[in-house]
Amino acid sequence: MPDQRPGPSPYGAALRLLMEPAPNTAVTAVAKPPTATAPARATRPDTRRAPAETMLKVENLSISFRTDEGLITPVQGVGFEVQAGRTLGLVGESGSGKSVTTKALMKLLPGNAAIAPETRMHYTTKAGAEVRIDTLKPGSRAARQLRGGEIGMIFQEPMASFSPVYTIGNQMMEAIRLHKAVGRKDARAIAIEMLDRVGISNPSGRIDQYPHDLSGGMRQRAMIALALSAGPRLLIADEPTTALDVTIQAQVLELMRELQRDLGMGMIFITHDLGVIAQIADEIAVMYLGTIVERGPTREVIRDPKHPYTQGLLRAIPSLDHLQDRLTPVPGDIPSPTERPKGCPFHTRCAQALVGTCDRKPPEEVFPSRGHGVRCWLHDGNGRSVA
Amino acid sequence: MLRFTAERLVGMIVTMLLVSLMVFIIMELPPGDYADRYAFRKYSGTGVSVTASDIEAIRVELGLDKPMMLRYLDWIGGIVLRGDFGQAFAFETSVVKVIGDKVWLTLAILLSTLLVTYLVSIPIGILAAVRRGSAADYGLTVISYLGLALPNFLLALILLYFANKWFGADIGGLFSAEYADAPWSLGKAWDLVKHLWLPALVLAWSAVAYQIQTVRATMSDEINKLSVTAARARGVPETRLLLKYPARLAINPVVSTIGFDVNRIFSELPIVAVVLGLTELGELLLQAYLDLDMYVAGAILLLLTAVVVFMNFVSDILLAWLDPRIKLGA
Ligand SMILES: Nc1ncnc2c1ncn2[C@@H]1O[C@H](COP(=O)(O)OP(=O)(O)O)[C@@H](O)[C@H]1O
Ligand code: SF4
Ligand SMILES: [Mg+2]
């Protein structure tokens, strides 16, 4: 599975920058504001932002599936927040429940899935209204308004996310007219403008083309334009760069950062590549077997990872100037969702596991510093007394 | 699309010419020709002895002595240029007079059968896929297996029995007694429609069962495509979503087998026609063959194959319209 093996990441440099000791605050304070000739580089200037407004707050999200092997619960007790205009990076190996989590937000789970009753999902709309996503009916008008209009979604496969039998313009204008009270002509103008914005040349010609008429990179851009055409306040990007080659990946990432900044969107960016996360996310949530094991500001989590799993993921990232170094991916296999380990879900692969504790009781989330949470007995004062 | 249509149109015309040549060769295949048969019929029992030269004279009179290629050109030229399908020897009139009404009635049966087939099977197949695993889905599956198992002439007999019981004796055939020999009028057309549903239902029966399975299978595949989830994630309402995205592709295999359905209907029509007392071309075709009445047989064969070829053309155009990627591969 390509998903589980991080390829050579072009972001090693950005990552190492983040991992270096913190520059003292005086230096940060006098940092030059970005100018047109010197655009903001890899690390995000999050220290200079105004205190953000929480637009999405997920608490205690658990999702189960009825399967032939019985009931499985691939997402358990997940909680996170997204701030308006900021990016949350959701990172974890394939199968850790990232996609399922975001499908729950969009009410897109299949019929055999159920969200636990104690789940709470609060969302604040563009108009400032509070919506309890957990209580929305999947087919309801309110859910449909949320989809696309408030929360946009882009996927790993740009080709597969377009219908091959309608033009790009047809699909974009449909989305625009579903969420904005505009006629055909205005919808078309909006679509062309959006295509232009994502860097597609000759947008007024491209709009009438079919998805198969575009090259891979263009298709990815068109898909982003499609998801943004109805003006969502939150964008969910589910591994949008995983299927792309390294150069295009860098371009798309740059485009997404730019769009997010210009449109002021919140974003949930899913990937299994911590190097990509370091480029784009303000906050990180690390997922393992359906649980968020560590979360916090990107810079802090990357520089000072608390959870053994996060530490393992960071070691697995290739560095550009030590290509001869072998990657050290997190050793061991992910347990299957039907055999979720008792206690800390990571204990079957954890080198630091405390026998008698980690395999008995799941650790609660503790906060070693403000906004930096971790679920690991090593950081929980009560850990050693459990046994 | 225009170019694609033009290409297919040319293809269709070429196919038709080849088919007409084949039909003509088939017409020539039976041993003997109409001259022998004519002489036998005219003089048998009269005591007149017929000589070889008498038969030859008849042959020259009917134009049967010319070389085959020339007769083919005469024949096809007449059809294309004047709509003249030649002489019906046994009836001593033109072929057009003999087959005239029967052509239109056969076409009416064909089209109403296709209509019933698709109007019933497509919505039900889509519904079964959308409600996959529900009681309705299982019910439909069982019914459609029954449909495949029950021969349609048997169904025809059963339906005929109940139709007679409920609607009176006037249900077989294509017309009520008062319209049977009347000239065409609005009343007659309506009378035809009232009679058509029964043969259409009978002939559509097995195709409906088969096409429900096809539509259900492709629709189930299409529903699970990422592009459908993506459209749902843009807030497209469910019914519109299902019709616009997966259903459009789910009817592809149905559209691409229109030609097969036409073939099948033609081959099942004669037996159903006998049971239901319908007027159609099949019976006449058989009679013409027995009589060596070659231009009648040829006209019927040619018309039936023309319908199949034309329906294949329609299916090609519809397919390209449903899925624009097809034009690329053309
Ligand atoms: N439709 C489904 N039916 C049953 N189980 C599912 C379904 N979708 C996802 N799962 C379960 O959820 C787990 C997490 O899936 P996913 O969210 O796609 O992982 P990720 O996106 O992190 O790679 C899978 O390993 C699988 O066990
Ligand atoms: S709780 Fe125990 S097993 Fe889990 S990560 Fe921490 S040390 Fe390892
Ligand atoms: Mg995924």
Side-chain angles (χ1 to χ4, degrees):
Chain A
M1 258 190 246
D3 224 353
Q4 292 173 11
R5 203 175 346 100
S9 164
Y11 309 112
L15 201 61
R16 276 198 313 286
L17 207 73
L18 279 175
M19 291 167 85
E20 274 159 18
N24 66 51
T25 39
V27 176
T28 316
V30 296
K32 274 187 291 177
T35 63
T37 47
R41 277 309 313 157
T43 54
R44 301 183 58 87
D46 47 49
T47 45
R48 265 169 287 140
R49 290 210 182 177
E53 168 211 351
T54 302
M55 64 183 305
L56 175 71
K57 183 170 184 174
V58 174
E59 298 168 311
N60 234 332
L61 170 64
S62 298
I63 304 164
S64 345
F65 288 91
R66 272 177 287 111
T67 70
D68 295 339
E69 285 91 50
L71 195 73
I72 58 168
T73 308
V75 173
Q76 278 187 18
V78 159
F80 57 83
E81 293 178 7
V82 178
Q83 314 298 325
R86 302 234 192 151
T87 301
L88 169 73
L90 201 53
V91 66
E93 285 162 294
S94 148
S96 53
K98 308 182 294 292
S99 299
V100 169
T101 299
T102 53
K103 279 188 186 148
L105 287 174
M106 296 286 273
K107 293 273 150 180
L108 286 176
L109 289 171
N112 64 334
I115 297 180
E118 65 272 16
T119 301
R120 295 288 176 275
M121 296 185 275
H122 302 273
Y123 174 80
T124 314
T125 66
K126 289 186 265 194
E130 282 274 338
V131 178
R132 278 273 303 277
I133 297 181
D134 49 295
T135 61
L136 286 185
K137 287 231 179 326
S140 66
R141 203 182 155 74
R144 274 188 277 123
Q145 277 167 348
L146 210 66
R147 292 179 191 153
E150 289 286 342
I151 309 180
M153 200 161 187
I154 60 178
F155 304 88
Q156 185 173 339
E157 300 287 336
M159 189 60 190
S161 30
F162 276 107
S163 163
V165 297
Y166 295 97
T167 61
I168 289 159
N170 176 306
Q171 298 177 63
M172 287 183 81
M173 283 157 68
E174 174 183 46
I176 292 166
R177 297 193 62 191
L178 278 170
H179 297 289
K180 295 183 175 170
V182 294
R184 283 190 59 82
K185 247 182 94 183
D186 289 342
R188 192 177 162 90
I190 295 174
I192 290 175
E193 192 193 315
M194 208 64 225
L195 286 173
D196 188 40
R197 189 152 204 170
V198 298
I200 287 179
S201 56
N202 182 20
S204 46
R206 293 276 181 201
I207 191 171
D208 294 320
Q209 291 191 326
Y210 288 94
H212 53 249
D213 295 327
L214 300 189
S215 69
M218 281 300 134
R219 228 176 263 150
Q220 186 77 22
R221 286 169 189 267
M223 181 176 72
I224 295 173
L226 176 58
L228 297 184
S229 53
R233 189 177 185 221
L234 173 66
L235 180 67
I236 298 174
D238 193 345
E239 313 222 18
T241 57
T242 305
L244 304 176
D245 74 54
V246 175
T247 347
I248 298 178
Q249 188 175 335
Q251 289 169 4
V252 168
L253 219 51
E254 180 61 37
L255 170 70
M256 292 189 67
R257 296 194 324 146
E258 204 181 288
L259 286 169
Q260 189 206 11
R261 194 177 54 228
D262 295 353
L263 304 173
M265 285 181 305
M267 182 149 84
I268 300 178
F269 193 102
I270 300 181
T271 173
H272 60 264
D273 187 345
L274 262 179
V276 170
I277 284 283
Q279 276 269 302
I280 198 157
D282 301 296
E283 316 252 304
I284 294 186
V286 180
M287 246 181 133
Y288 184 78
L289 269 191
T291 308
I292 290 180
V293 295
E294 181 161 12
R295 60 171 165 158
T298 305
R299 184 180 279 266
E300 205 177 313
V301 172
I302 285 182
R303 193 183 307 125
D304 186 15
K306 301 286 188 197
H307 198 279
Y309 179 60
T310 317
Q311 292 163 359
L313 284 180
L314 278 164
R315 274 196 301 274
I317 290 172
S319 78
L320 279 185
D321 40 28
H322 297 96
L323 277 178
Q324 73 274 26
D325 290 356
R326 292 297 301 151
L327 298 180
T328 48
V330 184
D333 291 326
I334 312 177
S336 96
T338 47
E339 295 153 7
R340 200 185 148 88
K342 204 168 164 289
C344 169
F346 189 56
H347 85 256
T348 54
R349 296 166 77 187
C350 181
Q352 303 169 57
L354 308 165
V355 181
T357 303
C358 298
D359 51 350
R360 294 211 178 152
K361 201 165 175 273
E364 295 292 316
E365 186 169 42
V366 292
F367 292 85
S369 60
R370 203 164 156 267
H372 185 171
V374 59
R375 283 177 194 268
C376 171
W377 286 122
L378 294 174
H379 302 278
D380 190 332
N382 303 322
R384 275 150 237 268
S385 56
V386 171
Chain B
M1 193 75 199
L2 217 65
R3 199 180 140 186
F4 178 82
T5 310
E7 276 171 18
R8 287 299 144 117
L9 206 63
V10 171
M12 178 174 75
I13 291 167
V14 171
T15 313
M16 269 326 298
L17 284 177
L18 287 178
V19 163
S20 71
L21 195 61
M22 261 161 62
V23 165
F24 196 78
I25 291 171
I26 292 172
M27 283 155 58
E28 297 277 314
L29 280 183
D33 62 19
Y34 190 77
D36 300 313
R37 174 55 66 108
Y38 184 81
F40 174 75
R41 185 182 279 184
K42 192 162 181 185
Y43 300 111
S44 70
T46 57
V48 180
S49 68
V50 185
T51 63
S53 63
D54 289 339
I55 294 182
E56 195 52 39
I58 295 172
R59 197 165 277 142
V60 172
E61 188 194 322
L62 295 177
L64 293 174
D65 60 327
K66 294 189 223 160
M68 180 181 148
M69 209 52 214
L70 214 61
R71 274 182 292 126
Y72 169 71
L73 288 179
D74 271 358
W75 179 64
I76 198 71
I79 293 171
V80 173
L81 299 177
R82 300 185 300 275
D84 173 10
F85 284 82
Q87 271 309 111
F89 304 135
F91 299 88
E92 301 189 343
T93 171
S94 74
V95 171
V96 173
K97 282 231 174 67
V98 175
I99 61 174
D101 262 7
K102 292 201 169 87
V103 172
W104 299 116
L105 292 178
T106 304
L107 276 183
I109 294 173
L110 173 74
L111 289 181
S112 48
T113 303
L114 289 177
L115 217 63
V116 169
T117 307
Y118 302 136
L119 286 186
V120 174
S121 62
I122 291 173
I124 290 182
I126 289 174
L127 200 74
V130 173
R131 300 245 181 283
R132 214 186 161 132
S134 70
D137 180 26
Y138 287 125
L140 288 170
T141 309
V142 169
I143 289 177
S144 64
Y145 277 123
L146 277 181
L148 286 174
L150 185 66
N152 54 23
F153 62 88
L154 210 61
L155 177 76
L157 286 172
I158 296 169
L159 284 182
L160 203 57
Y161 171 77
F162 283 108
N164 266 322
K165 207 166 148 184
W166 293 331
F167 305 119
D170 201 26
I171 201 73
L174 283 177
F175 297 102
S176 317
E178 72 251 45
Y179 284 113
D181 292 313
W184 279 101
S185 65
L186 229 62
K188 183 165 176 173
W190 177 238
D191 188 55
L192 176 64
V193 170
K194 279 196 294 189
H195 281 82
L196 266 179
W197 69 268
L198 188 64
L201 199 68
V202 170
L203 285 166
W205 182 254
S206 59
V208 164
Y210 175 79
Q211 298 288 25
I212 285 178
Q213 302 286 328
T214 313
V215 174
R216 179 180 177 276
T218 32
M219 185 73 182
S220 305
D221 279 355
E222 289 296 330
I223 282 180
N224 290 323
K225 291 262 168 82
L226 178 58
S227 58
V228 175
T229 308
R232 199 174 280 131
R234 296 195 294 272
V236 183
E238 199 62 19
T239 308
R240 168 160 155 201
L241 174 103
L242 291 174
L243 293 181
K244 178 173 175 182
Y245 294 99
R248 176 162 175 163
L249 288 166
I251 60 178
N252 254 4
V254 174
V255 171
S256 62
T257 50
I258 290 180
F260 288 106
D261 279 338
V262 173
N263 254 324
R264 190 192 47 75
I265 291 168
F266 278 158
S267 52
E268 289 177 5
L269 184 52
I271 187 165
V272 172
V274 170
V275 175
L276 293 180
L278 307 177
T279 324
E280 52 88 41
L281 287 175
E283 199 191 347
L284 185 61
L285 176 63
L286 207 65
Q287 188 54 48
Y289 248 98
L290 293 177
D291 285 348
L292 294 178
D293 202 347
M294 60 178 280
Y295 289 122
V296 174
I300 295 173
L301 269 182
L302 192 67
L303 286 172
L304 293 185
T305 39
V307 170
V308 174
V309 171
F310 177 74
M311 290 312 267
N312 271 323
F313 167 76
V314 170
S315 131
D316 273 359
I317 300 297
L318 275 178
L319 271 184
W321 174 74
L322 282 174
D323 188 345
R325 284 171 301 179
I326 286 171
K327 273 175 282 175
L328 289 181

